[in-house]
Amino acid sequence: MWTDTPTQKPAHEDRRRRDRNAGIVLGTAVVAMGLAAGLLAAFTIAVMPGLTASDDRTLVDAMQHMIVKIENPVFFLIFLGAPILAAIALVQARRSGSARTARWIIAGLVLYTLTLLVTFAVHVPLNYELRDMGDPAHIKNLAAVRDDFVTPWVTWDIVRTLTATAAFTALTRALTLHPHTT
């Protein structure tokens, strides 16, 4: 029999579709957060220890190049996309009534906000100051410049690596609690 009225999907199918879509958003947030935490961890455990073992000129020159090169679309997509996706996942978790999932997403967002605060309050100013010093061959007292840069940069890099890793862990926990994955 032909009808002109559209058939409606049962409510449980709509809910499953919304849960699946929310799971995709949350899963993507977890991946982005993991990439951001991994990037910071790489600096903490390999890049900076390697550079601090080198001479002043090498460290300053390499950091100046990395400061310029890291500001690219892929970096910003990951570094700023992770909290945006997590915020969208939070809205979806709240709409679905998944309070436990929402709490873990909130924890992840708070921890990553700390990561961003450290980055913008400490690392960005240090990076731009070092970048703007120009050619290391023309910097007077290169050892002092290096010391003024390295100690706070490395110390706070450890802090933001820990907060980003904790944020990743919190979002991963949220994903395990998400209705579509349980």
Side-chain angles (χ1 to χ4, degrees), residues 37 40-46 48-49 114-115 118-119 122-123 150-166:
L40 297 175
F43 269 87
T44 298
I45 64 174
M48 293 311 290
L114 294 173
T115 304
V118 169
T119 299
V122 177
H123 290 92
V150 167
T151 300
W153 203 100
V154 168
T155 301
W156 286 101
D157 190 50
I158 293 167
V159 171
R160 72 181 180 162
T161 297
L162 292 172
T163 58
T165 302

Side-chain angles (χ1 to χ4, degrees), residues 11-99:
H12 71 280
E13 283 184 35
D14 269 350
R15 170 124 181 145
R16 255 188 268 166
R17 182 182 50 77
R18 281 192 313 271
D19 284 348
R20 184 183 68 243
N21 291 341
I24 290 168
V25 171
L26 181 55
T28 305
V30 169
V31 170
M33 193 69 70
L35 289 170
L39 174 66
L40 297 175
F43 269 87
T44 298
I45 64 174
V47 174
M48 293 311 290
L51 286 177
T52 57
S54 65
D55 63 86
D56 299 340
R57 184 172 178 168
T58 300
L59 181 137
V60 171
D61 188 48
M63 283 304 298
Q64 285 178 331
H65 287 292
M66 280 187 271
I67 290 162
V68 170
K69 296 296 183 183
I70 200 161
E71 291 185 357
N72 66 70
V74 174
F75 169 75
F76 287 117
L77 182 65
I78 292 167
F79 203 67
L80 300 176
I84 292 168
L85 287 165
I88 293 167
L90 175 59
V91 169
Q92 292 172 321
R94 284 188 166 166
R95 282 185 183 159
S96 74
S98 183

Side-chain angles (χ1 to χ4, degrees), residues 123-141:
H123 290 92
V124 170
L126 285 170
N127 287 351
Y128 287 170
E129 184 178 333
L130 187 67
R131 179 199 67 193
D132 294 343
M133 290 191 164
D135 186 346
H138 299 26
I139 297 174
K140 294 180 183 178
N141 201 354

